[in-house]
């Protein structure tokens, strides 16, 4: 059984920092892409950052220069370091693993349960 478990969320004031972790089990540590997504109240889920199986990273424009995605192969864990947080970063953050091409588009096969991040002004 594949499990992705997020941790590290919470409440912080604007300008602060948080580190999210996503511990994976049931899937190999290498050879697959991982990603972080978020969904704010009343909004659609959006991609925040991805780390591909070759190690390349991508970020949505709104977090470039503030967030950093990384992974620890030995621990089979992915991280999202979030700095200079803004109130608009408030959302439920989800980690995802194993990116597949299905139905004409790329989708992630496995998802975590989500973790709340709240940034106050």
């Amino acid at each position: 059984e594949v499990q992705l478990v997020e941790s590290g969320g919470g409440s912080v004031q604007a300008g602060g920092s948080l580190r999210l972790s996503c511990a994976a089990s049931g899937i190999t540590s290498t050879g697959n892409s991982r990603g972080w997504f978020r969904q704010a109240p009343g909004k659609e889920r959006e991609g925040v950052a991805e780390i591909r199986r070759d190690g390349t990273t991508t970020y949505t424009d709104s977090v470039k220069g503030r967030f950093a995605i990384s992974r620890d192969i030995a621990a089979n864990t992915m991280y999202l370091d979030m700095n200079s947080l803004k109130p608009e970063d408030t959302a439920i953050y989800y980690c995802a693993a194993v990116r597949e091409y299905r139905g004409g588009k790329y989708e992630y096969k496995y998802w975590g349960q989500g973790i709340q991040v709240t940034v106050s002004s």
Side-chain angles (χ1 to χ4, degrees):
E1 180 187 5
V2 176
Q3 283 192 321
L4 301 177
V5 180
E6 298 106 335
S7 61
S11 298
V12 65
Q13 289 192 325
S17 300
L18 284 173
R19 185 183 224 202
L20 303 183
S21 300
C22 175
S25 60
I27 54 175
T28 59
S29 181
T30 58
N32 57 80
S33 298
R34 308 276 173 102
W36 287 100
F37 293 76
R38 66 186 180 186
Q39 187 166 20
K43 295 187 177 181
E44 293 188 354
R45 186 175 63 194
E46 66 168 342
V48 176
E50 291 186 289
I51 183 164
R52 302 291 171 84
R53 54 186 179 181
D54 63 359
T56 58
T57 58
T58 62
Y59 299 90
T60 191
D61 287 345
S62 63
V63 308
K64 285 180 180 177
R66 300 189 297 123
F67 290 11
I69 189 172
S70 61
R71 63 195 299 178
D72 182 332
I73 299 299
N76 204 356
T77 299
M78 176 177 63
Y79 303 98
L80 185 68
D81 288 295
M82 305 185 294
N83 299 304
S84 302
L85 282 161
K86 303 175 181 180
E88 51 263 45
D89 294 318
T90 295
I92 298 175
Y93 284 71
Y94 300 88
C95 66
V98 185
R99 190 166 171 260
E100 298 180 328
Y101 190 75
R102 293 189 287 179
K105 60 181 179 179
Y106 284 99
E107 294 180 341
Y108 278 90
K109 185 174 182 179
Y110 302 109
W111 293 83
Q113 79 284 356
I115 193 164
Q116 180 70 45
V117 171
T118 302
V119 184
S120 58
S121 57

